[in-house]
């Protein structure tokens, strides 16, 4: 069999067009290394140091809390590691079992809880490393580092790193797994990518719908049914976990799961009982949980921008495929959780179940900030999205859900206030308190501010300003050019005016 001739530069636009229209081509095209490696520069070293500092700050400056559902996962892990068995907990132990080394290390140094508290930060850090290794030959260096910084800081990630919930494990494995499944040059790497995706889904069984969407996308694009095996593998892992934890292949532990009776008209009904339309509106648009506020980059258009970057060699053509799979998985999450009785994720800051959405949202935002548009108003809009995303990261790290106990009073009777009202939204409540109290002792007390998280918040702000520099320079130049072209015209018109 003869080797396939390498793609010439003039073939790149056709390859980009085919990839962006999901037309089938050779499987190997998704692994083309279109980005030429560049020498290490001081800028690259500096931005890599920022990523390392961000992870270190998350470890040492942010609190690490084990409460709510995470406390039940921790209790099950502790029971398992102390020989008492995991019991019939409804939460999957596939993710928490990987925290066993930290449990033992924490028990040796201080307490098991202290060691486990670091788990999500370390898992996310390994996920960033995996993304870098998979994407480094497919995404131009500055763009890749901007994506990793935005994903780490200007997103919902900072708050999630303070918890022991399962979303970080699932989101990290899915982001790396889907990337490797498309971009790995070898079949073994692609198989490992699908394996990571199956493991991530098995940790959060409801996300199987998202994986099914991804599998259908790949089967349709490649005309190959083998991609459906990832769903089969995930189902097998879920069934095995059910059997080991609860004694039955089909017992998920959620059959009778329901919430408190509150003012919300559909509260207290178990299962997938929430009206789909109301769930979609709430997941996307509510002030306290809406993705339009917590992951605004998700709604940025990227198709034409990616096509231009592929044609110019700044992106590999396979990156578009990865992005569409990320979006497909996110759509699956939105659909399945919009029907779940606890679509809001329980008593948790922001839209808990949709942490993975920060991956495509951050990548789209990196495209728009590091490669500005030729249109002024578009760049101003991108700067606004960056500002909102930065506020999401700062808000989660610094403020959390402080001062919102009214939503948990009387057994969550008024919890809908925190879901729908901007006055009680975790994202906007600090602004309300700032308006009421000013920046003084009463504000600090109401928001329960601590030095470590505040320091980390200023670090997020500084990195965001740094990443905004290309965009702000372009906006300043475009505004100057607009003024130079319009001011003489406006002056000429004003000369004809009389009192």
């Amino acid at each position: 069999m003869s080797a396939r001739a390498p793609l010439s530069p003039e073939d790149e636009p056709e390859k980009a067009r085919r990839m962006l229209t999901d037309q089938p081509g050779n499987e190997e095209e998704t692994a083309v290394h279109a980005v030429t490696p560049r020498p290490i520069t001081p800028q690259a070293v500096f931005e890599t140091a920022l990523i390392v500092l961000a992870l270190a700050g998350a470890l040492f400056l942010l609190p690490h809390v084990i409460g709510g559902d995470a406390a039940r996962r921790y209790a099950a892990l502790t029971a398992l590691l102390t020989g008492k068995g995991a019991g019939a907990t409804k939460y999957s132990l596939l993710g928490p079992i990987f925290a066993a080394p930290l449990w033992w290390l924490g028990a040796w140094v201080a307490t098991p809880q202290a060691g486990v508290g670091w788990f999500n930060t370390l898992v996310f850090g390994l996920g960033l490393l995996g993304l870098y290794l998979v994407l480094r030959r497919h995404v131009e260096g500055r763009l890749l580092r901007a994506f990793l910084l935005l994903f780490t800081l200007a997103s919902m990630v900072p708050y999630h790193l303070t918890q022991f919930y399962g979303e970080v494990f699932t989101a990290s494995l899915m982001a790396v797994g889907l990337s490797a499944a498309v971009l790995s040059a070898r079949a073994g790497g692609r198989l490992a990518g699908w394996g990571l995706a199956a493991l991530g889904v098995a940790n959060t069984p409801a996300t199987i719908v998202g994986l099914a969407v991804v599998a259908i996308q790949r089967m349709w694009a490649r005309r190959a049914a083998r991609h459906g095996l990832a769903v089969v593998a995930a189902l097998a892992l879920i069934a095995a976990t059910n059997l080991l934890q609860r004694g039955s292949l089909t017992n998920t532990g959620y059959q009778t799961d329901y919430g408190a009776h509150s003012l919300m008209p559909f509260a207290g009904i178990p299962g997938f009982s929430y009206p789909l339309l109301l769930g979609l509106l709430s997941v996307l648009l509510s002030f306290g949980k809406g993705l339009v506020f917590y992951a605004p980059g998700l709604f940025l258009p990227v198709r034409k921008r990616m096509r231009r970057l592929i044609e110019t060699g700044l992106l590999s053509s396979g990156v578009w495929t990865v992005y569409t799979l990320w979006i497909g998985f996110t759509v699956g999450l939105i659909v399945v959780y919009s029907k779940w009785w606890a679509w809001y994720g329980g008593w948790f800051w922001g839209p808990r179940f949709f942490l993975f959405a920060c991956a495509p949202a951050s990548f789209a935002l990196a495209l728009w900030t590091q490669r500005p548009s030729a249109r002024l108003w578009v760049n101003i809009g991108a700067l606004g999205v960056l500002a909102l995303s930065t506020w999401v990261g700062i808000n989660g790290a610094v403020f959390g859900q402080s001062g919102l106990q009214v939503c948990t009073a009387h057994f969550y009777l008024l919890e809908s206030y925190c879901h729908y009202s901007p006055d009680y939204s975790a994202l906007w409540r600090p602004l309300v308190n700032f308006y009421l109290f000013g920046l003084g002792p009463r504000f600090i007390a109401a928001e329960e501010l601590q030095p470590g998280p505040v320091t980390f918040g200023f670090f997020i702000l500084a990195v965001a300003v740094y990443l905004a520099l290309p965009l702000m320079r372009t906006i300043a130049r475009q505004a100057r050019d607009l003024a130079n072209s319009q001011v003489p015209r406006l002056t000429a018109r004003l000369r004809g005016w009389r009192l």
Side-chain angles (χ1 to χ4, degrees):
M1 181 181 296
S2 61
R4 185 169 63 91
L7 288 168
S8 62
E10 56 267 20
D11 291 329
E12 282 292 326
E14 172 58 24
K15 181 186 69 175
R17 184 196 64 78
R18 184 167 61 247
M19 292 302 299
L20 291 172
T21 54
D22 291 329
Q23 294 183 15
N26 293 327
E27 183 72 26
E28 293 81 1
E29 285 188 1
T30 61
V32 170
H33 294 171
V35 178
T36 303
R38 297 182 179 180
I40 297 176
T41 64
Q43 183 184 33
V45 173
F46 175 70
E47 291 169 355
T48 303
L50 288 180
I51 297 173
V52 174
L53 285 174
L55 293 173
L59 274 178
F60 298 111
L61 295 178
L62 296 182
H64 298 280
V65 181
I66 299 179
D69 294 351
R72 299 179 179 91
R73 286 183 171 86
Y74 173 77
L77 176 64
T78 298
L80 182 65
L81 296 180
T82 53
K84 299 176 183 177
T89 175
K90 63 185 178 182
Y91 305 111
S92 173
L93 282 176
L94 268 181
I97 197 64
F98 286 92
L102 291 175
W103 191 95
W104 285 315
L105 179 63
W108 180 57
V109 175
T111 65
Q113 189 169 357
V116 171
W118 280 18
F119 177 67
N120 275 340
T121 304
L122 296 177
V123 166
F124 183 77
L126 290 174
L128 285 187
L129 178 61
L131 282 172
Y132 170 76
L133 293 176
V134 174
L135 296 176
R136 63 194 174 100
R137 295 186 180 273
H138 301 272
V139 182
E140 184 269 331
R142 168 70 194 238
L143 190 59
L144 176 57
R145 293 188 297 273
F147 160 58
L148 297 179
L149 282 169
L150 290 169
F151 192 15
T152 307
L153 299 173
S155 70
M156 296 185 282
V157 166
Y159 181 82
H160 280 257
L161 297 186
T162 67
Q163 309 294 315
F164 185 53
Y165 281 74
E167 283 71 30
V168 172
F169 185 85
T170 295
S172 298
L173 264 62
M174 289 305 302
V176 177
L178 293 180
S179 302
V182 173
L183 297 175
S184 291
R186 298 181 179 180
R190 294 194 291 273
L191 183 62
W194 286 116
L196 288 176
L199 179 59
V201 165
N203 178 62
T204 313
T207 62
I208 190 71
V209 176
L211 184 60
V213 173
V214 166
I216 292 172
Q217 286 177 272
R218 292 305 286 156
M219 286 190 291
W220 180 264
R222 309 309 308 175
R223 308 293 192 264
R226 67 180 182 274
H227 298 289
L229 293 176
V231 179
V232 176
L235 288 172
L237 284 172
I238 293 171
T241 303
N242 290 341
L243 181 63
L244 291 174
Q245 291 187 216
R246 290 172 286 277
S248 170
L249 292 173
T250 58
N251 184 2
T252 64
Y254 284 88
Q255 285 83 347
T256 58
D257 187 58
Y258 62 91
H261 291 275
S262 67
L263 292 180
M264 299 177 71
F266 300 98
I269 306 175
F272 294 92
S273 56
Y274 207 79
L276 179 61
L277 177 60
L278 297 182
L280 287 172
L281 291 173
S282 300
V283 166
L284 294 175
L285 302 175
S286 60
F287 285 106
K289 303 288 182 175
L291 288 174
V292 72
F293 299 112
Y294 283 86
L298 195 64
F299 304 92
L300 289 172
V302 300
R303 188 185 185 93
K304 293 181 180 179
R305 185 165 294 269
M306 276 199 181
R307 177 181 294 170
R308 287 195 295 269
L309 293 178
I310 291 171
E311 291 173 354
T312 56
L314 296 177
L315 290 180
S316 163
S317 55
V319 175
W320 168 253
T321 304
V322 172
Y323 181 81
T324 57
L325 295 185
W326 285 358
I327 292 294
F329 186 77
T330 302
V331 169
L333 296 183
I334 292 172
V335 171
V336 68
Y337 281 118
S338 292
K339 282 288 295 176
W340 183 239
W341 71 266
W343 58 267
Y344 47 86
W347 180 241
F348 194 89
W349 175 93
R352 168 186 160 191
F353 300 131
F354 305 101
L355 178 65
F356 178 83
C358 295
S362 299
F363 192 80
L365 189 55
L367 292 177
W368 280 91
T369 55
Q370 305 312 301
R371 299 291 169 182
S373 171
R375 291 175 288 181
L376 174 61
W377 68 270
V378 172
N379 289 328
I380 293 175
L383 186 62
V385 173
L386 175 61
L388 179 54
S389 299
T390 302
W391 171 243
V392 169
I394 293 174
N395 182 273
V398 178
F399 302 103
Q401 298 187 103
S402 299
L404 294 174
Q405 292 79 9
V406 64
C407 295
T408 63
H410 307 294
F411 201 50
Y412 300 93
L413 181 65
L414 303 177
E415 68 175 344
S416 57
Y417 279 24
C418 288
H419 304 337
Y420 296 107
S421 170
D423 304 61
Y424 291 95
S425 162
L427 195 59
W428 309 114
R429 183 65 181 181
L431 303 182
V432 173
N433 285 335
F434 177 76
Y435 179 82
L436 294 174
F437 307 131
L439 191 60
R442 294 183 64 189
F443 176 81
I444 294 174
E447 294 297 338
E448 303 174 11
L449 298 184
Q450 299 296 325
V454 170
T455 302
F456 193 73
F458 278 112
F459 176 75
I460 294 175
L461 180 60
V463 172
V465 171
Y466 171 76
L467 293 176
L469 289 177
L471 196 58
M472 291 191 293
R473 283 195 294 262
T474 302
I475 290 174
R477 187 186 69 251
Q478 291 171 333
R480 184 188 65 237
D481 294 342
L482 179 64
N484 290 337
S485 64
Q486 295 299 321
V487 168
R489 190 176 305 175
L490 179 61
T491 302
R493 289 190 175 186
L494 291 177
R495 284 176 186 156
W497 283 66
R498 297 291 184 271
L499 184 60

